[in-house]
Amino acid sequence: MGILFDFMPMLLEVTPKAMASLGAGIAIGMGALGATIAMGLAAGKALDAGSRQPGIFSKIQTLLLTSIVFIESIAIYSLVVALLLIFTVK
């Protein structure tokens, strides 16, 4: 409990730019983590479906590439949010 009170003066002097930088780091980190997990799951399920029914693998591949594009757009949105946080907060 005493450690929290030792950090209190330091926490009160944090600038908005520092908080925006922290938020930007969290935004890009979580966006990249979510997109990576989603791509891995989608690719795993697509390979599983392709191994069960090899005849429809070309259709599965098209759907997989389309879904990866939409998943990647989430990571790009998080990058845009991070850049906005970094460059708009003064």
Side-chain angles (χ1 to χ4, degrees):
M1 187 94 172
I3 295 174
L4 179 64
F5 292 117
D6 293 339
F7 286 112
M8 193 61 74
M10 184 177 64
L11 291 176
L12 293 175
E13 296 176 9
V14 176
T15 64
K17 183 70 174 178
M19 294 303 281
S21 298
L22 180 66
I26 292 172
I28 194 67
M30 297 302 274
L33 179 68
T36 303
I37 291 171
M39 279 189 225
L41 289 174
K45 297 292 182 178
L47 289 174
D48 185 39
S51 67
R52 290 182 184 198
Q53 294 182 351
I56 61 167
F57 190 71
S58 63
K59 290 181 182 179
I60 293 171
Q61 185 178 11
T62 304
L63 287 173
L64 174 66
L65 291 176
T66 305
S67 65
I68 284 178
V69 166
F70 288 120
I71 292 168
E72 190 66 32
S73 70
I74 295 170
I76 293 170
Y77 288 146
S78 67
L79 175 67
V80 169
V81 168
L83 290 174
L84 284 173
L85 281 172
I86 289 171
F87 293 116
T88 59
V89 176
K90 297 195 188 267

